[in-house]
């Protein structure tokens, strides 16, 4: 299969993503046996990962979504986070798993984890498909991590650039000529 013309290189194939998600789902099944966790997806980037992760899980679970935006340019977080869409569910007493596409500076996730923790869930854990540790500015605990990635701008499998490439079924690095950091 030919790589998308705007991609410089492939990072994770469809097959690699599927295999890793099956492993993560199996671990969640074990850790939450007998419980009904609430998976909270961070829009928009996580929706494809969420749908594959949920379907790979065998235990009962429910799902909700929130949306945030951070001020700043597209590829650099400014440090200020704004809640655009809240979850619908009351999470008091629930076992919450926050499902995110990528942990970069950590600013978005630390805001979300703090916000949700204040609502007294029984437990709260973080599941991220990708982790870009080189860029971390705020420490955030990760409980389930798909893959570690280098400091490059990734697209595909839910990850966009200017809203494009989300439907590409694999993850790759965008040609640097297509964006300016
Ligand atoms: P953080 O607050 O951790 O810096 O920001 C995380 C958010 O930045 C992610 O949810 C994602 O929307 C965006 N982001 C960070 N790195 C990348 C990347 O390499 N590619 C894409 N498409 N988005 C990214």
């Amino acid at each position: 299969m030919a790589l998308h013309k705007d991609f410089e290189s492939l990072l994770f194939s469809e097959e690699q993503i599927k295999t890793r998600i099956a492993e993560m789902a199996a671990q969640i099944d074990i850790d939450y046996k007998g419980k009904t966790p609430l998976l909270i997806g961070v829009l928009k980037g996580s929706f494809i990962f969420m749908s594959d992760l949920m379907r790979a899980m065998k235990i009962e679970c429910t799902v909700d979504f929130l949306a945030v935006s951070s001020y700043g340019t597209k590829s650099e977080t400014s440090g200020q986070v704004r809640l655009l869409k809240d979850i619908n569910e009351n999470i008091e007493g629930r076992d919450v798993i926050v499902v995110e596409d990528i942990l970069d500076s950590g600013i978005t996730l630390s805001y979300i984890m703090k916000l949700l923790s204040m609502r007294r869930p029984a437990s709260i854990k973080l599941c991220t498909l990708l982790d870009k540790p080189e860029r971390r500015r705020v420490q955030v605990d990760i409980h389930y991590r798909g893959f570690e990635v280098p400091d490059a701008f990734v697209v595909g499998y839910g990850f966009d650039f200017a809203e494009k490439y989300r439907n590409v079924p694999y993850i790759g690095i965008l040609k640097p000529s297509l964006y300016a950091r």
Side-chain angles (χ1 to χ4, degrees):
M1 183 190 56
L3 194 65
H4 190 290
K5 66 175 176 45
D6 295 348
F7 282 43
E8 181 184 68
S9 59
L10 177 73
L11 272 182
F12 306 109
S13 67
E14 273 188 84
E15 207 48 47
Q16 282 175 299
I17 296 169
K18 197 175 167 204
T19 303
R20 186 70 191 111
I21 291 178
E23 291 168 357
M24 296 170 86
Q27 188 60 52
I28 294 173
D29 280 348
I30 293 169
D31 295 350
Y32 289 85
K33 190 166 182 251
K35 296 180 175 165
T36 304
L38 167 61
L39 308 184
I40 300 183
V42 184
L43 293 172
K44 298 177 193 165
S46 70
F47 80 102
I48 290 186
F49 172 44
M50 172 70 94
S51 85
D52 283 345
L53 180 72
M54 273 189 91
R55 285 178 293 174
M57 286 167 54
K58 294 192 173 64
I59 58 165
E60 196 176 79
C61 62
T62 61
V63 66
D64 204 343
F65 290 95
L66 58 75
V68 291
S69 83
S70 48
Y71 296 99
T73 59
K74 181 66 206 169
S75 58
E76 201 77 45
T77 310
S78 68
Q80 283 183 56
V81 185
R82 192 160 55 110
L83 188 64
L84 296 181
K85 182 217 168 296
D86 204 344
I87 46 172
N88 301 330
E89 302 281 318
N90 175 5
I91 62 170
E92 191 170 343
R94 295 294 306 271
D95 292 299
V96 170
I97 305 175
V98 175
V99 177
E100 174 63 307
D101 54 357
I102 186 167
L103 192 58
D104 189 38
S105 71
I107 290 169
T108 310
L109 251 301
S110 82
Y111 169 86
I112 291 169
M113 298 305 276
K114 263 186 220 136
L115 179 85
L116 296 176
S117 297
M118 287 190 299
R119 300 180 184 174
R120 301 170 199 249
S123 68
I124 181 161
K125 285 192 183 179
L126 172 61
C127 174
T128 184
L129 179 61
L130 302 184
D131 179 21
K132 222 191 250 184
E134 278 173 60
R135 302 243 309 167
R136 197 78 83 253
R137 282 161 59 192
V138 183
Q139 199 262 329
V140 181
D141 292 334
I142 305 176
H143 304 95
Y144 305 99
R145 171 198 351 232
F147 304 100
E148 200 171 295
V149 290
D151 182 11
F153 197 74
V154 306
V155 284
Y157 195 77
F159 292 95
D160 75 310
F161 177 65
E163 295 300 324
K164 290 192 292 186
Y165 314 113
R166 292 194 200 272
N167 61 325
V168 175
Y170 46 83
I171 299 174
I173 297 177
L174 191 66
K175 284 182 181 164
S177 59
L178 293 171
Y179 74 95
R181 234 182 200 182

